[in-house]
Each structure stands twice: as structure tokens, then as C-alpha cells.
Amino acid sequence: MRWQGGRESENVEDRRGLSPATMAGGGIGTLIIILLGLYLGIDPRPLLQVINNGPPGGGGPQQQQRQRELTEEEKAQGEFARRILAMTEDVWREQFAEMGKRYQDPTLVLFSGRVSTEGCGAASSAVGPFYCPGDQKVYIDLSFYDELARRFKAPGDFARAYVLAHEVGHHVQNLLGISEQVSRAQRRAGEAEANALSVRLELQADFLAGVWAHHIEKKEHVLETGDIESGLKAATAIGDDTLQKQAQGYAVPDSFTHGTSEQRVRWFTKGLQTGDVDQGDTFNARDL
């Protein structure tokens, strides 16, 4: 995939190599403040608010500090992520303009091991890449790309780009109000029905990743021989049926939340071939 040389997105928070600051977000510093306040008979909450949120107009919490320098490989991975995110911004700004809407860029958060989100609580890298609609941020531990190559046998730049484009697809769904509609429906549904709605949401994100690939290729001719196969391998490798069979030897369809390998490949391919957002209505499709 030809990704070098383009612009890099500025909507990236690189938290790799960071550790929690001494008094931010809890810990021994917070405990001392609370005990001191109780001892002196004063309310410690205003001071805690300043520490956790920063002074008024101060730009929010400063919860982490640099712990170590990034390796050259980590820097290269970060550059790749910023350039791919920029490509998604270019495509979706145009697509939203055609719909008479304004695209709001998401923020990409790069982290290592664990991460705290503003809208979805804390998470570890074990959950894989994810999108948090509460803060409109995409979170990814880039070590997932190594796992994608080793465990899932899906190496290559385009496979990695597909993963990021899929999460940005969830951001598109959030901006269009689709995610909230699904969330409301899931709260009223039983477990099997809620899972089925999740599958349709995920397959639509795969479709939107394909739409992005269609338009970025049309704009910048980034695809090289083998790239499509690389993306399809990634979609195949992370299908619910494939993952469950690897883990337990059999699949349980009612527990699927992302769709089968065949479904993920088919909807990604449909987006790639058509480039038409209107053809990605997975919620009314009879045949997923």
C-alpha cells in the first residue's frame, strides 16, 4: 500500500510510553488531599476538582506524563496510523459534504497496555481496537498489528489500514445517528436479538471501510498488488465463527456480535466495489 508521503492527521493523541502522573486520576496523592481536608475540617472537593480537571480554562486533566522514549519502530507505526487517519478524514469529509452534512473528525488515541477513556471507562489492549461514541475517539494499541500478522495470518499495510478504517466506520455511524438507534433497540431486546443488532452494526462498519478504500484508491491510487487480498484476510481472520472455532472448536451463532468471516468479507467487498454509502443498509438487508 502506498501510504508514505501524504499528510499526517493532527487528530492523534499518542499516549504510548506514558504513565499516570503522581496526583492525577486518584492514587496516593488524592488520598492525602482527602485526609488533610478532613483533618482541617475543610471540603477537599474543590481542590480535587482543580487537580483532576485542571484550573478553570486550563484545558482539562493532565493525567499522564512521559515515561520513556518511543522506539524507531513505534515511531514508524505512529506515522502510519496518522497518515491512514488523514486518508479517512479526506474521504469522509467529501462523502458527508455530498450528503449535505459536515464531517466531524474523530480523534485517534494510541496507547500501550491499558487506557482510560472519557466516555467508555478503562480498557486493556486485550479488547482490541475500539471506538468510543461517548468521546468520539478511536483507541488502538498498535501491538494489535503484530497480532494481526502472527496470530491471524493477515500481514500487510492494507490489512492494518482496514482495521483502522473499520473503527472510523463506527464513528461515521455515530455521526449519522445509527449507533444511538441501535443502542436504544438493544436495551429493549433480549440477548440474542441484541447480538444480532450488533452483528448488523459491525457489518455496516466493514462496508464503510470498503467505501473508504474505494474512494481513497480513486483519489490517490494507493493500492498495490496483493492489498485487497490482505484486507480480505484480515476480515476473514476476525469473523466470529473463525475465532470461536479456534478457541473452542465450534461456533455458537446466537452469540455472534461481529458476523461470520464470509459476511465480513462480503460487506467489505460490497463497499469496496460500489463506494456508495446508500448501499450499506445492513439493518434492512434480508441476506446478511
Side-chain angles (χ1 to χ4, degrees):
M1 181 179 181
R2 303 181 186 92
W3 58 269
Q4 298 91 338
R7 74 175 183 89
E8 296 184 19
S9 173
E10 297 180 355
N11 299 306
V12 177
E13 295 178 16
D14 196 341
R15 302 183 191 176
R16 298 173 299 167
L18 300 181
S19 62
T22 304
M23 297 184 65
I28 189 65
T30 298
L31 179 60
I32 291 173
I33 293 294
I34 293 173
L35 293 176
L36 183 61
L38 294 175
Y39 177 76
L40 296 175
I42 62 174
D43 186 353
R45 286 177 294 180
L47 181 56
L48 289 174
Q49 184 175 6
V50 170
I51 292 174
N52 288 326
N53 297 322
Q62 299 297 318
Q63 295 188 355
Q64 294 177 311
Q65 60 186 2
R66 179 64 64 185
Q67 182 180 27
R68 63 173 178 81
E69 290 297 318
L70 299 178
T71 67
E72 291 304 314
E73 181 180 1
E74 288 173 325
K75 291 177 182 178
Q77 289 177 334
E79 179 188 356
F80 173 83
R82 288 189 292 271
R83 291 193 191 278
I84 297 301
L85 184 64
M87 292 182 188
T88 67
E89 292 167 350
D90 294 342
V91 167
W92 288 115
R93 286 170 186 173
E94 291 184 356
Q95 292 301 302
F96 269 60
E98 291 181 9
M99 291 185 274
K101 301 177 183 294
R102 181 178 178 273
Y103 181 67
Q104 301 171 20
D105 298 338
T107 297
L108 174 64
V109 179
L110 307 178
F111 71 96
S112 299
R114 292 188 60 82
V115 68
S116 295
T117 76
E118 298 169 20
C120 300
S124 75
S125 57
V127 304
F130 66 96
Y131 172 72
C132 178
D135 55 26
Q136 297 191 4
K137 294 182 178 182
V138 172
Y139 294 84
I140 183 171
D141 184 333
L142 293 180
S143 65
F144 178 78
Y145 286 156
D146 297 329
E147 186 177 15
L148 191 66
R150 291 197 310 268
R151 177 185 170 191
F152 299 120
K153 310 301 180 185
D157 290 339
F158 190 68
R160 296 188 292 165
Y162 153 75
V163 170
L164 184 53
H166 172 93
E167 299 306 331
V168 172
H170 285 310
H171 178 64
V172 171
Q173 292 171 317
N174 188 35
L175 295 181
L176 295 177
I178 298 170
S179 301
E180 177 57 29
Q181 292 175 18
V182 171
S183 181
R184 287 199 301 266
Q186 287 177 317
R187 289 194 291 267
R188 300 190 300 266
E191 183 178 358
E193 185 180 352
N195 287 342
L197 287 168
S198 177
V199 166
R200 292 178 183 271
L201 190 72
E202 294 292 338
L203 293 179
Q204 188 178 66
D206 282 326
F207 171 83
L208 294 172
V211 170
W212 165 76
H214 172 97
H215 288 286
I216 198 63
E217 169 62 13
K218 191 174 180 180
K219 284 169 59 68
E220 300 186 20
H221 305 291
V222 298
L223 297 181
E224 298 176 298
T225 302
D227 280 345
I228 299 301
E229 290 78 2
S230 174
L232 296 179
K233 276 186 179 181
T236 299
I238 54 181
D240 284 324
D241 55 336
T242 300
L243 292 176
Q244 288 188 3
K245 287 177 182 177
Q246 289 176 351
Q248 60 194 23
Y250 58 91
V252 183
D254 283 348
S255 69
F256 290 173
T257 57
H258 286 67
T260 67
S261 294
E262 187 275 332
Q263 288 171 330
R264 301 197 71 167
V265 167
R266 180 151 44 86
W267 280 99
F268 171 74
T269 302
K270 185 176 182 180
L272 177 65
Q273 291 176 342
T274 67
D276 183 358
V277 174
D278 292 336
Q279 295 194 40
D281 186 0
T282 56
F283 297 96
N284 291 308
R286 292 183 179 180
D287 181 17
L288 283 181

